[in-house]
């Protein structure tokens, strides 16, 4: 079975805890779309220094970060911290299998897996740029997206912009972030029925990023991504 080999670095986060940071290339980000057609849910987390400190404390947030499929540093300072740790704690390779039915997809991407040393240039992951890569690949595969978060006007602008930028990407549902308790059951039903490939979670959602592990079991397969301002950015408001 073919695999995507993602470079990772485990950094010490406080006196005892450790956090894994992932450093995929753009090619590998694209390959994760076919790799994650395995009938399971997957979560991509963006972290900065503040969230890293939060992950040092035992609890729900730390568990979410530990179990996430990708943990991406979104600030250059955090990426440099990992890179500059040096050869004493070198980068490792984590293998993500690609289902046999998707192996032909490998040929669509040029090989950019050049050698990566502990002294290579630091790389951070802008949420907008990362999501654009993932949605571009999803569009090629006739994929679907569900939007959750923000206010009504933000969602409307985001939907218009996505339809313009990714015309073949199917938008199968949306919900404001501050939905009422009685609206949760219909929202979960919508997620189950539409079975989106990609679920983007943004501002005003109760629990923030923790909404994802608390509700992930309501879909059979999908990629969940959270960023507090991503919907506003996609709407052109930021």
């Amino acid at each position: 079975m073919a695999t995507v080999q993602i470079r990772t670095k485990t950094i010490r986060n406080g006196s005892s805890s450790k956090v894994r940071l992932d450093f995929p290339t753009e090619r590998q980000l694209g390959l994760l779309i076919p790799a994650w057609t395995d009938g399971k849910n997957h979560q991509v987390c963006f972290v900065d220094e503040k969230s890293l400190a939060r992950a040092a404390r035992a609890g729900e947030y730390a568990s979410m970060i530990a179990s996430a499929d990708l943990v991406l540093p979104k600030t250059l300072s955090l990426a440099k911290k990992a890179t500059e740790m040096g050869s004493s704690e070198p980068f490792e390779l984590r293998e993500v299998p690609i289902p046999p039915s998707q192996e032909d997809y490998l040929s669509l991407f040029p090989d950019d897996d050049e050698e990566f040393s502990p002294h290579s240039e630091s790389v951070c992951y802008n949420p907008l740029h990362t999501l654009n890569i993932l949605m571009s690949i999803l569009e090629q595969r006739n994929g679907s997206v569900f939007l959750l978060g923000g206010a009504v006007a933000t969602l409307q602008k985001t939907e218009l912009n996505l339809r313009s930028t990714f015309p073949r990407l199917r938008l199968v549902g949306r919900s404001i972030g501050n939905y009422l308790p009685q609206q949760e059951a219909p929202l979960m039903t919508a997620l189950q029925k539409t079975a989106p490939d990609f679920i983007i979670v943004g501002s005003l959602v109760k629990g923030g990023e923790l909404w994802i592990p608390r509700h992930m079991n309501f879909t059979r397969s999908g990629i969940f991504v959270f960023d507090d301002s991503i919907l506003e950015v996609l709407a052109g408001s930021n």
Side-chain angles (χ1 to χ4, degrees), residues 55-66:
R57 302 188 293 270
E60 191 178 6
Y61 184 81
S63 297
M64 178 190 69
I65 295 297

Side-chain angles (χ1 to χ4, degrees), residues 145-148 172-175 179 184-201 211-212 215-221 224:
V145 63
F146 195 105
L147 305 175
L148 171 62
V172 295
R174 68 185 191 190
S175 171
Y179 61 83
E184 179 157 283
L187 172 58
M188 296 306 106
T189 299
L191 282 171
Q192 290 175 322
K193 289 184 175 180
T194 57
D197 299 302
F198 200 42
I199 301 92
I200 301 175
V201 183
W211 185 95
I212 294 176
H215 297 82
M216 189 181 279
N217 62 323
F218 284 95
T219 62
R220 67 174 183 271
S221 176
F224 288 79

Side-chain angles (χ1 to χ4, degrees), residues 122-134:
S122 302
V123 178
C124 63
Y125 296 83
N126 176 278
L128 176 62
H129 181 65
T130 303
L131 262 64
N132 280 339
I133 292 172
L134 296 176

Side-chain angles (χ1 to χ4, degrees), residues 61-236:
Y61 184 81
S63 297
M64 178 190 69
I65 295 297
S67 63
D69 295 85
L70 272 185
V71 182
L72 304 176
K74 67 177 182 178
T75 62
L76 188 57
S77 57
L78 180 56
K80 284 183 175 180
K81 178 180 179 181
T83 303
E84 292 170 356
M85 286 177 65
S87 57
S88 61
E89 295 186 48
F91 283 86
E92 299 177 351
L93 292 178
R94 182 166 62 91
E95 293 191 345
V96 178
I98 294 182
S101 61
Q102 304 294 329
E103 287 183 4
D104 289 345
Y105 200 65
L106 286 166
S107 64
L108 300 180
F109 291 82
D111 188 358
D112 66 354
D113 292 336
E114 69 281 354
E115 185 178 353
F116 187 83
S117 75
H119 304 293
S120 296
E121 182 179 355
S122 302
V123 178
C124 63
Y125 296 83
N126 176 278
L128 176 62
H129 181 65
T130 303
L131 262 64
N132 280 339
I133 292 172
L134 296 176
M135 287 191 288
S136 177
I137 303 303
L138 273 173
E139 182 189 31
Q140 296 175 30
R141 298 172 63 84
N142 231 359
S144 59
V145 63
F146 195 105
L147 305 175
L148 171 62
V152 173
T154 298
L155 280 175
Q156 290 173 338
K157 291 178 182 177
T158 299
E159 183 170 351
L160 287 173
N161 288 344
L162 288 184
R163 291 190 186 281
S164 174
T165 307
F166 306 102
R168 298 191 306 279
L169 183 66
R170 295 178 292 118
L171 282 98
V172 295
R174 68 185 191 190
S175 171
I176 58 172
N178 53 350
Y179 61 83
L180 299 174
Q182 59 267 34
Q183 295 174 306
E184 179 157 283
L187 172 58
M188 296 306 106
T189 299
L191 282 171
Q192 290 175 322
K193 289 184 175 180
T194 57
D197 299 302
F198 200 42
I199 301 92
I200 301 175
V201 183
S203 62
L204 304 181
V205 174
K206 185 178 179 180
E209 194 167 12
L210 289 173
W211 185 95
I212 294 176
R214 293 170 183 172
H215 297 82
M216 189 181 279
N217 62 323
F218 284 95
T219 62
R220 67 174 183 271
S221 176
I223 302 170
F224 288 79
V225 178
F226 170 87
D227 181 72
D228 191 56
S229 61
I230 191 61
L231 292 174
E232 287 75 14
V233 171
L234 290 169

